[in-house]
Amino acid sequence: MDRIDQLRIFIRVAHSGGFTLAADQLGVPRPTVSLAIQQLESRLGVRVFNRTTRRVSLTQDGEALLDRAIALVADSEELEQQFRPQGATLSGRLRVDMPSRIARRLVAPALPTFFARHPGMTVELGSSDRAIDLVHEGIDCALRVGEMSASSLVARPLGALRMIHCASPGYLAQHGVPQSPEDLGQHHAVNYASPTSGRIAPWEWLQDGTLQTMQMEGLVAVNNAETYIACCLAGLGLIQIPAFDVQEHLAAGELVEVLQEWPVLSMPVQLVYPHRRHLSRRMQVFGEWLAGVLAPCLE
């Protein structure tokens, strides 16, 4: 194992906090990780990790090494990329995370086209509605929907999803069609609770160019997009949802768009990476492909 590979493994152990987790993220046996760290420590003449039965942590020497190691690995990858022909076959694994509905409805069906172009690559596609820690979990990139909070992640804006208000015909027949936001006080929403914080998202709309919000009454609160739509189809209340996500239900008459004169603020979409100076060629081609897949659904 060369020195750059040892440093790559060292970085992954440092970020994940464990040898076993680092091995899982890298797709290598745990003994390979242990041997790489032993060889690195032997070569440097210092211990880079404090080991306990549950977790490893950086020593003072390990902390001093980490930033330099990240820079050295990035420089090495950039150098290899510079001299690799543009048409050269790409290989390797990418670990990607994105919201479950986008993964299932848009990305998974299109993946055969990606592998047809890059048969040497593999993708681990994680999908959930919670924001994960990319560095700790060893994720190469993630698709994030909504406003980004302050972080060290590098974000590439891709566009925005058009949002709509809608409800089932059965719900509207029972409760009436809201004609304006003033009517919302007489209606129920299927409330959406953040999978990360548990906080109920307020109902939002634009009125004369200004964002307005209110907390809607609801019989049910959910923290999953699939369940959110299912509850709306069952007649449990109004929802606010990306238009692409329910287009088949709208076309079939199973859901009805309402309050079109008071639109929902579009939801920004960005591809985010751990903070690093250079992106691998694998990441660049995947990002370009993903942007093309999502483009028809974005404003």
Side-chain angles (χ1 to χ4, degrees), residues 259-278:
L259 297 173
Q260 296 183 48
E261 295 180 32
W262 292 270
V264 190
L265 191 66
S266 297
M267 193 169 289
V269 178
Q270 48 267 316
L271 192 62
V272 298
Y273 318 90
H275 184 64
R276 57 185 63 164
R277 288 185 300 160
H278 310 292

Side-chain angles (χ1 to χ4, degrees), residues 2 31-32 53 57 65 85 91 94 110 122 125 134 147 160 201 212 216 219 229 247 250 259 261 275 294 296:
D2 66 29
T32 300
T53 54
S57 60
L65 174 63
S91 62
L94 281 177
T122 60
L125 181 59
L134 272 64
E147 294 293 339
Q212 306 290 332
M216 291 277 289
L219 299 174
I229 295 170
Q247 57 191 5
L250 294 169
L259 297 173
E261 295 180 32
H275 184 64
L294 299 180

Side-chain angles (χ1 to χ4, degrees), residues 16 25 31 49 51-52 100 111 146 154 157 222 246 256 288:
S16 67
Q25 293 175 358
F49 290 114
R51 283 97 159 158
T52 69
S100 56
L111 274 174
V154 178
V222 303
V246 291
V256 178
E288 291 300 324

Side-chain angles (χ1 to χ4, degrees), residues 151-226:
S151 77
S152 62
L153 297 175
V154 178
R156 174 189 173 182
L158 299 181
L161 292 169
R162 185 174 79 87
M163 302 287 290
I164 63 171
H165 319 266
C166 62
S168 72
Y171 173 86
L172 297 174
Q174 182 177 357
H175 299 277
V177 178
Q179 300 299 316
S180 75
E182 284 73 24
D183 296 336
L184 290 174
Q186 285 73 53
H187 283 270
H188 293 303
V190 178
N191 282 320
Y192 188 83
S194 165
T196 304
S197 68
R199 187 178 300 114
I200 300 292
W203 195 264
E204 299 181 345
W205 69 94
L206 286 173
Q207 189 164 345
D208 299 325
T210 302
L211 180 64
Q212 306 290 332
T213 65
M214 70 176 289
Q215 208 67 49
M216 291 277 289
E217 294 293 327
L219 299 174
V220 61
V222 303
N223 65 356
N224 173 274
E226 297 278 357

Side-chain angles (χ1 to χ4, degrees), residues 6 35-48:
Q6 289 175 0
L35 179 60
I37 300 304
Q38 290 172 11
Q39 291 174 340
L40 178 64
E41 290 179 329
S42 177
R43 181 162 54 83
L44 296 177
V46 297
R47 291 181 68 82
V48 294

Side-chain angles (χ1 to χ4, degrees), residues 104-115:
R104 184 175 72 80
R105 292 175 54 80
L106 301 179
V107 176
L111 274 174
T113 64
F114 179 77
F115 293 128

Side-chain angles (χ1 to χ4, degrees), residues 32-78:
T32 300
V33 172
S34 297
L35 179 60
I37 300 304
Q38 290 172 11
Q39 291 174 340
L40 178 64
E41 290 179 329
S42 177
R43 181 162 54 83
L44 296 177
V46 297
R47 291 181 68 82
V48 294
F49 290 114
N50 295 309
R51 283 97 159 158
T52 69
T53 54
R54 294 189 175 182
R55 187 173 176 83
V56 298
S57 60
L58 288 166
T59 63
Q60 187 172 352
D61 290 317
E63 295 210 3
L65 174 63
L66 183 58
D67 287 342
R68 297 293 300 276
I70 291 172
L72 283 169
V73 170
D75 287 341
S76 172
E77 290 176 351
E78 182 189 27

